[in-house]
Amino acid sequence: MSFRVWLSIVVAAAVVALAGFGVYAHHPSLPAMSAAERPSFGPEVIEKGRILAAAGYCATCHTAAGGKPYAGNYPMETGFGTIYASNITPDPETGLGNWSPAAFRRAMHDGVDREGAHLLPAFPFDHFTKMSDEDVDAIYAFLMAKVAPVREKTRDNALPFPLNQRFLQAGWKLLFVDFGRYRPDPGKSEQWNRGAYLVEGVTHCGACHTPRNLLGAEKKSEAFAGAAIDRWIAPALTAANPSAVPWSAAAFTRYLGTGAGIYHGIAAGPMGPVVHAGLRELPQSDLEAIGAYLGAGVGAPAADPAANPAVLASLKAGRPDPTYRKDLGERLYATACAACHYNGSHIVEGRPELAINSSTRLADPTNLIHVILDGVDAKNGMGGVVMPAFRHALSDADIAAVAAYLREKRANLAPWPDLAAQVARIRAEGAGH
């Protein structure tokens, strides 16, 4: 067979492949629906939608700093450029006011907007595709019935060519997205399946806690293995979590409902609003289901955490030393931290024992530095408990000394390198925020 014939075959195959991709990528525009044509929803459906919208952090991602709720333009910084969240208020010109329930379902399940354009994967449709039509319709009902319409145009995304070409997202979906509703595992309990449905769907925990590949897709083989997010570290939600006390179903449930855990730490940084403006709105039964699902993934032994050797050692090491503290980090800890973080024979809720705290045991000191610098305000952590910020009270060297003391002397773990430089970097990143 001649070269010309081979070339013709290759060109023909390429044309067929491109045509096939074009058919796959194309989605027609769906008819607009006015407010008068919109179906009515009962108060119980609207309330269900409010709870689900909270659990999905819709307001968190679709509200810019100082902006109107759900009006969009929250900047999402990715490795490819900045993506601005869209306006999802019922405004007919700049929001979803002319969207039908079918259009909203298509966006949530297939990642395609009413006009037929592919949505960028910063919107976690790869998780929302698992949600039932009933739950998606409930969120639609809440947005249309209870969210005030705001006329605010969404800013243009700062993405380079060809990533700004929407139709190419169809190829990304083809490679990385398993579309379809959640299918219960018959070998698991009803509670476990409910937790899986919530975690894998509306709460999309893996979007932050799963590392991503070079094309920005979650690495399915490393689900919940931990990842960097918004200049913080989302710890692993598996047995690989470095916590001295393994996470259990009960610990997950308590943490997600209160924002604090006796043996693990508090919800701060990006996790703060996830709990306090989101997950805690779920009924207790759903929180317990999420705890059961995540706890099963960790596989924590059924043991009393209070008897854990690391807990006992940390409590013993934290007792006041009658001798003068010669180590700078220990002296600073004693004067700035120990008054609140002192425990006696057992851990008191609201007084985290920092040697077993997740932030002290991560391989990266980012989370601990963040909390020392900026504290924990009333919107984060445990209700009624706040921690002061030391950004203007302690130098980079001081904070590095405290962190080194906790890591090396209290947790007995390998030292973090270049601590002072890391403190300086994180301090500079947070200046003015």
Side-chain angles (χ1 to χ4, degrees), residues 17 36 79 82 93 115 122 132 161 198 208 248 259 300 319-320 324 357-358 384:
T82 302
E93 293 187 21
E115 289 77 19
S132 68
F161 180 85
L198 292 168
C208 290
S248 64
R319 292 174 189 148
Y324 181 74
N357 191 277
S358 297

Side-chain angles (χ1 to χ4, degrees), residues 88-100:
I88 59 172
T89 73
D91 178 66
E93 293 187 21
T94 62
L96 307 183
N98 61 4
W99 283 39
S100 65

Side-chain angles (χ1 to χ4, degrees), residues 44-368:
E44 69 285 349
V45 175
I46 294 171
E47 174 61 9
K48 179 181 182 180
R50 182 192 70 80
I51 293 172
L52 288 170
Y57 336 125
C58 300
T60 301
C61 289
H62 287 274
T63 304
K68 297 291 181 64
Y70 300 97
N73 283 323
Y74 176 85
M76 299 181 184
E77 298 177 9
T78 73
F80 309 100
T82 302
I83 297 172
Y84 293 92
S86 59
N87 181 341
I88 59 172
T89 73
D91 178 66
E93 293 187 21
T94 62
L96 307 183
N98 61 4
W99 283 39
S100 65
F104 188 75
R105 263 185 244 126
R106 184 169 76 170
M108 294 284 283
H109 285 154
D110 302 328
V112 178
D113 70 12
R114 189 188 72 79
E115 289 77 19
H118 288 274
L119 299 176
L120 298 171
F123 178 69
F125 54 80
D126 53 334
H127 289 273
F128 296 154
T129 187
K130 295 178 172 60
M131 295 177 64
S132 68
D133 287 358
E134 178 184 350
D135 282 354
V136 171
D137 286 351
I139 295 177
Y140 173 87
F142 164 70
L143 293 175
M144 296 303 165
K146 294 297 183 181
V147 174
V150 179
R151 185 165 299 181
E152 182 173 337
K153 184 179 179 181
T154 303
R155 295 178 59 181
D156 293 333
N157 297 316
L159 292 175
F161 180 85
L163 298 178
N164 58 356
Q165 302 302 301
R166 296 275 183 161
F167 78 95
L168 291 179
Q169 297 304 317
W172 190 91
K173 294 175 180 179
L174 190 63
L175 289 172
F176 302 118
V177 182
D178 295 326
F179 287 109
R181 297 332 137 241
Y182 175 77
R183 293 186 295 275
D185 184 338
K188 300 293 186 179
S189 69
E190 182 178 348
Q191 184 186 54
W192 185 96
N193 274 294
R194 176 63 179 171
Y197 172 77
L198 292 168
V199 169
E200 303 292 347
V202 65
T203 68
H204 57 285
C205 302
C208 290
H209 287 272
T210 297
R212 295 178 180 269
N213 62 26
L214 293 176
L215 294 179
E218 293 176 30
K219 296 180 179 179
K220 296 178 182 178
S221 62
E222 299 178 35
F224 304 117
I229 180 76
D230 288 347
R231 301 189 181 94
W232 286 68
I233 304 298
L237 302 180
T238 66
N241 186 288
S243 175
V245 178
W247 282 84
S248 64
F252 277 122
T253 300
R254 185 184 191 92
Y255 177 86
L256 297 176
T258 66
I262 295 175
Y263 299 99
H264 299 97
I266 51 92
M271 193 64 190
V274 167
V275 170
H276 293 290
L279 292 175
R280 67 185 308 172
E281 294 290 329
L282 289 169
Q284 183 66 20
S285 59
D286 278 351
L287 291 175
E288 290 173 356
I290 292 174
Y293 177 67
L294 293 177
V298 173
D304 180 7
N308 186 295
V311 172
L312 298 176
S314 184
L315 288 168
K316 181 179 180 181
R319 292 174 189 148
D321 187 342
T323 62
Y324 181 74
R325 293 169 170 82
K326 297 180 179 180
D327 179 87
L328 173 62
E330 190 173 3
R331 290 204 311 272
L332 288 170
Y333 180 84
T335 55
C337 313
C340 292
H341 290 282
Y342 169 68
N343 291 283
S345 60
H346 65 278
I347 298 175
V348 178
E349 187 171 20
R351 295 184 186 176
E353 187 69 13
L354 297 183
I356 63 169
N357 191 277
S358 297
S359 61
T360 306
R361 304 186 71 85
L362 286 169
D364 187 311
T366 294
N367 293 4
L368 181 62

